[in-house]
Structures are given as structure tokens and as C-alpha cells.
mmCIF file of all heavy atoms in Angstrom:
data_model
loop_
_atom_site.group_PDB
_atom_site.id
_atom_site.type_symbol
_atom_site.label_atom_id
_atom_site.label_comp_id
_atom_site.label_asym_id
_atom_site.label_seq_id
_atom_site.Cartn_x
_atom_site.Cartn_y
_atom_site.Cartn_z
ATOM 1 N N PHE A 1 1.104 -14.506 -0.595
ATOM 2 C CA PHE A 1 2.565 -14.693 -0.582
ATOM 3 C C PHE A 1 3.068 -15.110 -1.960
ATOM 4 O O PHE A 1 4.208 -14.828 -2.335
ATOM 5 C CB PHE A 1 2.963 -15.748 0.444
ATOM 6 C CG PHE A 1 2.993 -15.245 1.866
ATOM 7 C CD1 PHE A 1 2.037 -15.642 2.789
ATOM 8 C CD2 PHE A 1 3.985 -14.366 2.287
ATOM 9 C CE1 PHE A 1 2.073 -15.187 4.098
ATOM 10 C CE2 PHE A 1 4.037 -13.902 3.591
ATOM 11 C CZ PHE A 1 3.072 -14.306 4.499
ATOM 12 N N TYR A 2 2.216 -15.811 -2.702
ATOM 13 C CA TYR A 2 2.617 -16.381 -3.990
ATOM 14 C C TYR A 2 2.077 -15.589 -5.184
ATOM 15 O O TYR A 2 2.604 -15.708 -6.291
ATOM 16 C CB TYR A 2 2.132 -17.832 -4.085
ATOM 17 C CG TYR A 2 2.660 -18.691 -2.967
ATOM 18 C CD1 TYR A 2 1.982 -18.781 -1.746
ATOM 19 C CD2 TYR A 2 3.853 -19.391 -3.103
ATOM 20 C CE1 TYR A 2 2.474 -19.558 -0.705
ATOM 21 C CE2 TYR A 2 4.350 -20.170 -2.074
ATOM 22 C CZ TYR A 2 3.656 -20.248 -0.869
ATOM 23 O OH TYR A 2 4.155 -21.004 0.166
ATOM 24 N N GLN A 3 1.012 -14.828 -4.952
ATOM 25 C CA GLN A 3 0.394 -14.061 -6.030
ATOM 26 C C GLN A 3 0.129 -12.636 -5.549
ATOM 27 O O GLN A 3 -0.584 -12.438 -4.562
ATOM 28 C CB GLN A 3 -0.932 -14.706 -6.462
ATOM 29 C CG GLN A 3 -0.776 -16.102 -7.045
ATOM 30 C CD GLN A 3 -2.114 -16.746 -7.367
ATOM 31 O OE1 GLN A 3 -3.131 -16.447 -6.745
ATOM 32 N NE2 GLN A 3 -2.116 -17.638 -8.358
ATOM 33 N N SER A 4 0.698 -11.656 -6.235
ATOM 34 C CA SER A 4 0.464 -10.266 -5.835
ATOM 35 C C SER A 4 -0.975 -9.889 -6.131
ATOM 36 O O SER A 4 -1.552 -10.342 -7.126
ATOM 37 C CB SER A 4 1.417 -9.334 -6.584
ATOM 38 O OG SER A 4 1.212 -9.450 -7.977
ATOM 39 N N PRO A 5 -1.590 -9.092 -5.257
ATOM 40 C CA PRO A 5 -2.998 -8.733 -5.453
ATOM 41 C C PRO A 5 -3.201 -7.884 -6.701
ATOM 42 O O PRO A 5 -2.443 -6.948 -6.959
ATOM 43 C CB PRO A 5 -3.339 -7.953 -4.178
ATOM 44 C CG PRO A 5 -2.040 -7.463 -3.654
ATOM 45 C CD PRO A 5 -1.025 -8.495 -4.040
ATOM 46 N N LYS A 6 -4.220 -8.249 -7.477
ATOM 47 C CA LYS A 6 -4.593 -7.459 -8.651
ATOM 48 C C LYS A 6 -5.866 -6.657 -8.378
ATOM 49 O O LYS A 6 -6.134 -5.656 -9.031
ATOM 50 C CB LYS A 6 -4.809 -8.375 -9.862
ATOM 51 C CG LYS A 6 -3.582 -9.193 -10.242
ATOM 52 C CD LYS A 6 -2.365 -8.311 -10.483
ATOM 53 C CE LYS A 6 -1.128 -9.136 -10.794
ATOM 54 N NZ LYS A 6 0.095 -8.289 -10.813
ATOM 55 N N ASP A 7 -6.636 -7.148 -7.431
ATOM 56 C CA ASP A 7 -7.852 -6.455 -7.005
ATOM 57 C C ASP A 7 -7.785 -6.270 -5.495
ATOM 58 O O ASP A 7 -7.027 -6.963 -4.805
ATOM 59 C CB ASP A 7 -9.094 -7.267 -7.384
ATOM 60 C CG ASP A 7 -9.228 -7.415 -8.882
ATOM 61 O OD1 ASP A 7 -9.365 -6.375 -9.557
ATOM 62 O OD2 ASP A 7 -9.191 -8.569 -9.371
ATOM 63 N N PHE A 8 -8.600 -5.351 -4.992
ATOM 64 C CA PHE A 8 -8.539 -5.013 -3.574
ATOM 65 C C PHE A 8 -9.938 -5.066 -2.957
ATOM 66 O O PHE A 8 -10.920 -4.693 -3.605
ATOM 67 C CB PHE A 8 -7.919 -3.626 -3.387
ATOM 68 C CG PHE A 8 -6.516 -3.525 -3.903
ATOM 69 C CD1 PHE A 8 -6.265 -3.189 -5.230
ATOM 70 C CD2 PHE A 8 -5.439 -3.806 -3.075
ATOM 71 C CE1 PHE A 8 -4.970 -3.109 -5.722
ATOM 72 C CE2 PHE A 8 -4.140 -3.729 -3.553
ATOM 73 C CZ PHE A 8 -3.905 -3.392 -4.880
ATOM 74 N N ASP A 9 -9.985 -5.547 -1.732
ATOM 75 C CA ASP A 9 -11.242 -5.656 -1.007
ATOM 76 C C ASP A 9 -11.912 -4.284 -0.898
ATOM 77 O O ASP A 9 -11.298 -3.318 -0.418
ATOM 78 C CB ASP A 9 -10.987 -6.233 0.388
ATOM 79 C CG ASP A 9 -12.257 -6.405 1.188
ATOM 80 O OD1 ASP A 9 -12.978 -7.383 0.943
ATOM 81 O OD2 ASP A 9 -12.529 -5.537 2.050
ATOM 82 N N VAL A 10 -13.155 -4.204 -1.351
ATOM 83 C CA VAL A 10 -13.850 -2.911 -1.440
ATOM 84 C C VAL A 10 -14.002 -2.250 -0.078
ATOM 85 O O VAL A 10 -13.731 -1.053 0.088
ATOM 86 C CB VAL A 10 -15.236 -3.101 -2.107
ATOM 87 C CG1 VAL A 10 -16.016 -1.783 -2.088
ATOM 88 C CG2 VAL A 10 -15.068 -3.608 -3.528
ATOM 89 N N LYS A 11 -14.411 -3.014 0.914
ATOM 90 C CA LYS A 11 -14.599 -2.456 2.262
ATOM 91 C C LYS A 11 -13.280 -1.983 2.843
ATOM 92 O O LYS A 11 -13.208 -0.940 3.507
ATOM 93 C CB LYS A 11 -15.234 -3.499 3.180
ATOM 94 C CG LYS A 11 -16.691 -3.768 2.883
ATOM 95 C CD LYS A 11 -17.274 -4.737 3.903
ATOM 96 C CE LYS A 11 -18.766 -4.984 3.630
ATOM 97 N NZ LYS A 11 -19.343 -5.943 4.608
ATOM 98 N N ALA A 12 -12.219 -2.756 2.588
ATOM 99 C CA ALA A 12 -10.904 -2.378 3.106
ATOM 100 C C ALA A 12 -10.409 -1.090 2.447
ATOM 101 O O ALA A 12 -9.823 -0.221 3.104
ATOM 102 C CB ALA A 12 -9.911 -3.512 2.874
ATOM 103 N N VAL A 13 -10.648 -0.955 1.154
ATOM 104 C CA VAL A 13 -10.241 0.258 0.437
ATOM 105 C C VAL A 13 -10.958 1.469 1.011
ATOM 106 O O VAL A 13 -10.351 2.533 1.255
ATOM 107 C CB VAL A 13 -10.543 0.116 -1.078
ATOM 108 C CG1 VAL A 13 -10.361 1.460 -1.784
ATOM 109 C CG2 VAL A 13 -9.654 -0.942 -1.706
ATOM 110 N N LYS A 14 -12.261 1.330 1.223
ATOM 111 C CA LYS A 14 -13.049 2.443 1.747
ATOM 112 C C LYS A 14 -12.548 2.875 3.129
ATOM 113 O O LYS A 14 -12.539 4.066 3.465
ATOM 114 C CB LYS A 14 -14.516 1.996 1.838
ATOM 115 C CG LYS A 14 -15.511 3.140 1.913
ATOM 116 C CD LYS A 14 -16.948 2.629 1.832
ATOM 117 C CE LYS A 14 -17.341 2.403 0.385
ATOM 118 N NZ LYS A 14 -18.813 2.103 0.261
ATOM 119 N N LYS A 15 -12.082 1.894 3.910
ATOM 120 C CA LYS A 15 -11.617 2.186 5.264
ATOM 121 C C LYS A 15 -10.182 2.720 5.284
ATOM 122 O O LYS A 15 -9.852 3.620 6.069
ATOM 123 C CB LYS A 15 -11.705 0.908 6.115
ATOM 124 C CG LYS A 15 -11.231 1.082 7.544
ATOM 125 C CD LYS A 15 -11.350 -0.234 8.319
ATOM 126 C CE LYS A 15 -10.864 -0.053 9.759
ATOM 127 N NZ LYS A 15 -10.935 -1.322 10.523
ATOM 128 N N ALA A 16 -9.315 2.177 4.443
ATOM 129 C CA ALA A 16 -7.879 2.449 4.585
ATOM 130 C C ALA A 16 -7.321 3.474 3.584
ATOM 131 O O ALA A 16 -6.292 4.095 3.858
ATOM 132 C CB ALA A 16 -7.101 1.135 4.460
ATOM 133 N N TRP A 17 -7.975 3.623 2.442
ATOM 134 C CA TRP A 17 -7.360 4.459 1.392
ATOM 135 C C TRP A 17 -8.086 5.806 1.296
ATOM 136 O O TRP A 17 -9.178 5.913 0.763
ATOM 137 C CB TRP A 17 -7.404 3.737 0.045
ATOM 138 C CG TRP A 17 -6.315 4.200 -0.881
ATOM 139 C CD1 TRP A 17 -6.358 5.258 -1.750
ATOM 140 C CD2 TRP A 17 -5.011 3.642 -1.008
ATOM 141 N NE1 TRP A 17 -5.166 5.405 -2.403
ATOM 142 C CE2 TRP A 17 -4.309 4.414 -1.969
ATOM 143 C CE3 TRP A 17 -4.335 2.578 -0.401
ATOM 144 C CZ2 TRP A 17 -2.998 4.155 -2.348
ATOM 145 C CZ3 TRP A 17 -3.035 2.315 -0.781
ATOM 146 C CH2 TRP A 17 -2.376 3.090 -1.742
ATOM 147 N N LYS A 18 -7.423 6.856 1.812
ATOM 148 C CA LYS A 18 -7.998 8.205 1.831
ATOM 149 C C LYS A 18 -7.326 9.077 0.765
ATOM 150 O O LYS A 18 -6.481 8.615 0.012
ATOM 151 C CB LYS A 18 -7.822 8.825 3.221
ATOM 152 C CG LYS A 18 -8.309 7.955 4.381
ATOM 153 C CD LYS A 18 -9.795 7.638 4.292
ATOM 154 C CE LYS A 18 -10.264 6.787 5.472
ATOM 155 N NZ LYS A 18 -11.691 6.407 5.370
ATOM 156 N N GLU A 19 -7.720 10.339 0.754
ATOM 157 C CA GLU A 19 -7.192 11.265 -0.258
ATOM 158 C C GLU A 19 -5.679 11.423 -0.182
ATOM 159 O O GLU A 19 -4.999 11.582 -1.195
ATOM 160 C CB GLU A 19 -7.868 12.642 -0.128
ATOM 161 C CG GLU A 19 -9.294 12.668 -0.633
ATOM 162 C CD GLU A 19 -9.863 14.072 -0.639
ATOM 163 O OE1 GLU A 19 -9.058 15.022 -0.570
ATOM 164 O OE2 GLU A 19 -11.089 14.214 -0.713
ATOM 165 N N ASP A 20 -5.153 11.429 1.040
ATOM 166 C CA ASP A 20 -3.711 11.647 1.210
ATOM 167 C C ASP A 20 -2.904 10.350 1.259
ATOM 168 O O ASP A 20 -1.690 10.365 1.456
ATOM 169 C CB ASP A 20 -3.444 12.468 2.478
ATOM 170 C CG ASP A 20 -3.986 11.769 3.729
ATOM 171 O OD1 ASP A 20 -4.791 10.820 3.592
ATOM 172 O OD2 ASP A 20 -3.615 12.175 4.856
ATOM 173 N N THR A 21 -3.574 9.214 1.097
ATOM 174 C CA THR A 21 -2.887 7.923 1.258
ATOM 175 C C THR A 21 -1.811 7.714 0.191
ATOM 176 O O THR A 21 -0.718 7.209 0.486
ATOM 177 C CB THR A 21 -3.891 6.758 1.226
ATOM 178 O OG1 THR A 21 -4.833 6.913 2.290
ATOM 179 C CG2 THR A 21 -3.184 5.423 1.383
ATOM 180 N N ALA A 22 -2.102 8.090 -1.050
ATOM 181 C CA ALA A 22 -1.119 7.884 -2.114
ATOM 182 C C ALA A 22 0.185 8.600 -1.821
ATOM 183 O O ALA A 22 1.284 8.044 -2.021
ATOM 184 C CB ALA A 22 -1.698 8.343 -3.451
ATOM 185 N N ALA A 23 0.093 9.836 -1.335
ATOM 186 C CA ALA A 23 1.295 10.609 -0.997
ATOM 187 C C ALA A 23 2.069 9.937 0.132
ATOM 188 O O ALA A 23 3.312 9.863 0.099
ATOM 189 C CB ALA A 23 0.898 12.029 -0.602
ATOM 190 N N ILE A 24 1.325 9.478 1.133
ATOM 191 C CA ILE A 24 1.968 8.801 2.264
ATOM 192 C C ILE A 24 2.679 7.538 1.783
ATOM 193 O O ILE A 24 3.830 7.268 2.158
ATOM 194 C CB ILE A 24 0.923 8.450 3.352
ATOM 195 C CG1 ILE A 24 0.398 9.738 4.011
ATOM 196 C CG2 ILE A 24 1.515 7.503 4.400
ATOM 197 C CD1 ILE A 24 -0.768 9.513 4.948
ATOM 198 N N MET A 25 2.018 6.760 0.921
ATOM 199 C CA MET A 25 2.610 5.505 0.470
ATOM 200 C C MET A 25 3.803 5.729 -0.449
ATOM 201 O O MET A 25 4.737 4.927 -0.481
ATOM 202 C CB MET A 25 1.551 4.639 -0.227
ATOM 203 C CG MET A 25 0.403 4.202 0.688
ATOM 204 S SD MET A 25 0.941 3.533 2.287
ATOM 205 C CE MET A 25 1.715 2.030 1.767
ATOM 206 N N ASN A 26 3.807 6.850 -1.168
ATOM 207 C CA ASN A 26 4.991 7.185 -1.969
ATOM 208 C C ASN A 26 6.205 7.405 -1.076
ATOM 209 O O ASN A 26 7.334 7.013 -1.421
ATOM 210 C CB ASN A 26 4.729 8.428 -2.820
ATOM 211 C CG ASN A 26 4.040 8.080 -4.135
ATOM 212 O OD1 ASN A 26 4.392 7.099 -4.779
ATOM 213 N ND2 ASN A 26 3.067 8.890 -4.530
ATOM 214 N N GLU A 27 5.959 8.002 0.081
ATOM 215 C CA GLU A 27 7.063 8.212 1.038
ATOM 216 C C GLU A 27 7.491 6.884 1.643
ATOM 217 O O GLU A 27 8.674 6.659 1.906
ATOM 218 C CB GLU A 27 6.638 9.191 2.124
ATOM 219 C CG GLU A 27 6.463 10.632 1.639
ATOM 220 C CD GLU A 27 6.335 11.617 2.776
ATOM 221 O OE1 GLU A 27 7.248 11.629 3.646
ATOM 222 O OE2 GLU A 27 5.329 12.350 2.806
ATOM 223 N N VAL A 28 6.520 5.999 1.885
ATOM 224 C CA VAL A 28 6.842 4.667 2.419
ATOM 225 C C VAL A 28 7.759 3.920 1.449
ATOM 226 O O VAL A 28 8.707 3.239 1.866
ATOM 227 C CB VAL A 28 5.550 3.857 2.692
ATOM 228 C CG1 VAL A 28 5.877 2.388 2.986
ATOM 229 C CG2 VAL A 28 4.773 4.456 3.855
ATOM 230 N N VAL A 29 7.485 4.052 0.175
ATOM 231 C CA VAL A 29 8.326 3.404 -0.842
ATOM 232 C C VAL A 29 9.766 3.893 -0.705
ATOM 233 O O VAL A 29 10.721 3.088 -0.754
ATOM 234 C CB VAL A 29 7.783 3.699 -2.256
ATOM 235 C CG1 VAL A 29 8.814 3.296 -3.312
ATOM 236 C CG2 VAL A 29 6.477 2.958 -2.484
ATOM 237 N N ILE A 30 9.952 5.207 -0.530
ATOM 238 C CA ILE A 30 11.296 5.767 -0.389
ATOM 239 C C ILE A 30 11.976 5.230 0.862
ATOM 240 O O ILE A 30 13.155 4.830 0.832
ATOM 241 C CB ILE A 30 11.232 7.309 -0.350
ATOM 242 C CG1 ILE A 30 10.713 7.840 -1.699
ATOM 243 C CG2 ILE A 30 12.597 7.901 -0.031
ATOM 244 C CD1 ILE A 30 10.396 9.318 -1.684
ATOM 245 N N ILE A 31 11.221 5.205 1.992
ATOM 246 C CA ILE A 31 11.780 4.699 3.263
ATOM 247 C C ILE A 31 12.240 3.247 3.088
ATOM 248 O O ILE A 31 13.355 2.875 3.466
ATOM 249 C CB ILE A 31 10.744 4.794 4.405
ATOM 250 C CG1 ILE A 31 10.352 6.250 4.680
ATOM 251 C CG2 ILE A 31 11.286 4.126 5.682
ATOM 252 C CD1 ILE A 31 11.496 7.139 5.121
ATOM 253 N N LEU A 32 11.375 2.412 2.516
ATOM 254 C CA LEU A 32 11.701 0.990 2.371
ATOM 255 C C LEU A 32 12.855 0.766 1.396
ATOM 256 O O LEU A 32 13.691 -0.112 1.603
ATOM 257 C CB LEU A 32 10.460 0.218 1.889
ATOM 258 C CG LEU A 32 9.298 0.117 2.892
ATOM 259 C CD1 LEU A 32 8.101 -0.573 2.246
ATOM 260 C CD2 LEU A 32 9.723 -0.636 4.144
ATOM 261 N N ASP A 33 12.888 1.566 0.349
ATOM 262 C CA ASP A 33 13.957 1.425 -0.641
ATOM 263 C C ASP A 33 15.324 1.718 -0.032
ATOM 264 O O ASP A 33 16.346 1.200 -0.488
ATOM 265 C CB ASP A 33 13.683 2.349 -1.825
ATOM 266 C CG ASP A 33 14.489 1.947 -3.056
ATOM 267 O OD1 ASP A 33 14.901 0.770 -3.129
ATOM 268 O OD2 ASP A 33 14.706 2.803 -3.917
ATOM 269 N N ASN A 34 15.327 2.544 1.006
ATOM 270 C CA ASN A 34 16.582 2.928 1.660
ATOM 271 C C ASN A 34 17.000 1.977 2.779
ATOM 272 O O ASN A 34 18.058 2.178 3.395
ATOM 273 C CB ASN A 34 16.472 4.351 2.214
ATOM 274 C CG ASN A 34 16.481 5.390 1.102
ATOM 275 O OD1 ASN A 34 17.135 5.202 0.075
ATOM 276 N ND2 ASN A 34 15.760 6.490 1.304
ATOM 277 N N VAL A 35 16.159 0.954 3.073
ATOM 278 C CA VAL A 35 16.534 -0.033 4.094
ATOM 279 C C VAL A 35 17.477 -1.033 3.435
ATOM 280 O O VAL A 35 17.069 -1.838 2.600
ATOM 281 C CB VAL A 35 15.292 -0.759 4.665
ATOM 282 C CG1 VAL A 35 15.734 -1.823 5.682
ATOM 283 C CG2 VAL A 35 14.344 0.225 5.328
ATOM 284 N N SER A 36 18.734 -0.967 3.787
ATOM 285 C CA SER A 36 19.730 -1.813 3.121
ATOM 286 C C SER A 36 19.634 -3.273 3.566
ATOM 287 O O SER A 36 19.765 -4.197 2.767
ATOM 288 C CB SER A 36 21.133 -1.268 3.375
ATOM 289 O OG SER A 36 21.380 -1.166 4.768
ATOM 290 N N ASN A 37 19.434 -3.478 4.859
ATOM 291 C CA ASN A 37 19.323 -4.837 5.400
ATOM 292 C C ASN A 37 17.836 -5.131 5.606
ATOM 293 O O ASN A 37 17.274 -4.790 6.641
ATOM 294 C CB ASN A 37 20.095 -4.941 6.720
ATOM 295 C CG ASN A 37 20.219 -6.383 7.194
ATOM 296 O OD1 ASN A 37 20.125 -7.314 6.393
ATOM 297 N ND2 ASN A 37 20.416 -6.550 8.490
#
């Protein structure tokens, strides 16, 4: 909450971050940016 992550848990990355994840997360950024409230 107080410090943004600079490194990421290796096991979690292997489980959660796939080839298409970056594209999906780019879309998430757009969705969240458009949430006004």
C-alpha cells in the first residue's frame, strides 16, 4: 500500500503472466482510466 512493487514473485509471474497478458493489461489500463468515479 505504501511502496509500489519493483520486483515480482517468481512463482506468481510464472502462473499469472502469459504471452497475451500484456495486451490484456493494456486494455485494463484503458478501462480503468475511463472510470470517472
Side-chain angles (χ1 to χ4, degrees):
F1 281 109
Y2 302 87
Q3 297 176 332
S4 60
K6 301 305 177 189
D7 297 298
F8 299 88
D9 181 78
V10 175
K11 288 184 178 179
V13 170
K14 199 173 278 189
K15 179 180 180 181
W17 206 273
K18 308 300 181 183
E19 286 187 17
D20 59 345
T21 300
I24 292 172
M25 297 312 292
N26 275 318
E27 290 192 55
V28 169
V29 167
I30 295 170
I31 297 299
L32 292 175
D33 198 22
N34 288 327
V35 178
S36 56
N37 190 23

